[in-house]
Amino acid sequence: MSATGNDGYIFNSGVMVIEPSNCTFRMLMKRRKEIISYNGGDQGFLNEFFVWWHRLPRRVNFLKNFWSNSSIEASVKNQLFGSDPPKLYSIHYLGLKPWNCYRDYDCNWNIEDQIVYASDEAHARWWKVHDSMEEELQKVCGLTERRKIELAWDRKKARERGFKNQRWRINITDPRKFV
């Protein structure tokens, strides 16, 4: 099993390479009730199961976050997210996913505890990929009425709180808003 490390000991299950094996599948199913996941999810379970794993380069599953909150980190990561040709094999979108936001900007900017995941460059990269997909597949990325209400609420709260990034001021042109 190969994956990108989260730290020195555990891997991130967002992108993994596992050789198909009936034996491994049977063992996963057999142990699913006895292994306790450290985080209650698949990643904790899989880290307990696959104690020996091969580390893939970070660019295979690059996490979209800005936890150090420094302008140097933002500059480096946004350059990677926006590079053309791409320097990353995949971007692991943390926080609200681009397909759950309007295409005009990353809606993580509107939620205080999600701002560490906000990147207009990574957001634009996803929409570039979206636009290259077949039309039938693009339809899967629609917004529910409930999600549109949540987006409006988050924008309203960001405006009321006076978020300095002022993304809430951007005029929404995404056609999914009007469907």
Side-chain angles (χ1 to χ4, degrees):
M1 201 285 294
S2 300
T4 302
N6 258 13
D7 62 21
Y9 305 102
I10 63 172
F11 59 84
N12 186 289
S13 62
V15 174
M16 304 183 322
V17 180
I18 302 174
E19 183 177 345
S21 161
N22 285 330
C23 178
T24 302
F25 177 75
R26 284 192 297 275
M27 286 301 297
L28 283 164
M29 293 299 103
K30 180 180 176 187
R31 309 252 348 256
R32 74 183 188 276
K33 293 186 179 175
E34 59 191 65
I35 293 178
I36 298 171
S37 169
Y38 70 82
N39 66 354
D42 64 292
Q43 184 167 303
F45 172 80
L46 292 168
N47 270 277
E48 292 294 325
F49 185 85
F50 293 107
V51 293
W52 295 101
W53 54 280
H54 176 261
R55 186 176 295 271
L56 293 172
R58 190 170 175 213
R59 67 183 179 274
V60 172
N61 183 18
F62 199 89
L63 300 179
K64 185 190 88 146
N65 64 54
F66 299 90
W67 290 327
S68 77
N69 205 16
S70 72
S71 58
I72 293 171
E73 177 194 36
S75 174
V76 169
K77 286 187 175 181
N78 282 325
Q79 189 277 329
L80 287 171
F81 295 146
S83 65
D84 196 15
K87 294 180 181 179
L88 303 173
Y89 296 119
S90 70
I91 300 173
H92 187 133
Y93 288 91
L94 302 172
L96 298 169
K97 313 303 185 203
W99 51 92
N100 287 324
C101 298
Y102 291 123
R103 68 184 300 144
D104 303 273
Y105 71 96
D106 187 335
C107 60
N108 286 292
W109 288 112
N110 291 338
I111 304 170
E112 193 165 5
D113 65 352
Q114 300 290 321
I115 291 175
V116 294
Y117 306 123
S119 167
D120 291 326
E121 287 80 0
H123 190 75
R125 168 68 65 192
W126 189 88
W127 284 102
K128 186 176 181 180
V129 170
H130 170 272
D131 292 346
S132 70
M133 295 187 304
E134 294 179 16
E135 195 172 319
E136 287 301 309
L137 190 53
Q138 288 181 10
K139 291 178 184 175
V140 177
C141 302
L143 294 171
T144 64
E145 288 305 313
R146 178 186 175 120
R147 184 67 194 131
K148 292 176 195 178
I149 291 167
E150 291 168 349
L151 287 166
W153 176 260
D154 292 341
R155 283 172 61 89
K156 175 180 182 268
K157 288 299 184 184
R159 183 181 69 247
E160 288 173 359
R161 292 183 180 129
F163 282 13
K164 292 180 182 176
N165 65 61
Q166 296 193 1
R167 296 308 195 286
W168 47 267
R169 287 181 175 258
I170 294 174
N171 182 40
I172 302 301
T173 61
D174 187 330
R176 298 174 311 145
K177 179 181 180 180
F178 310 104
V179 178

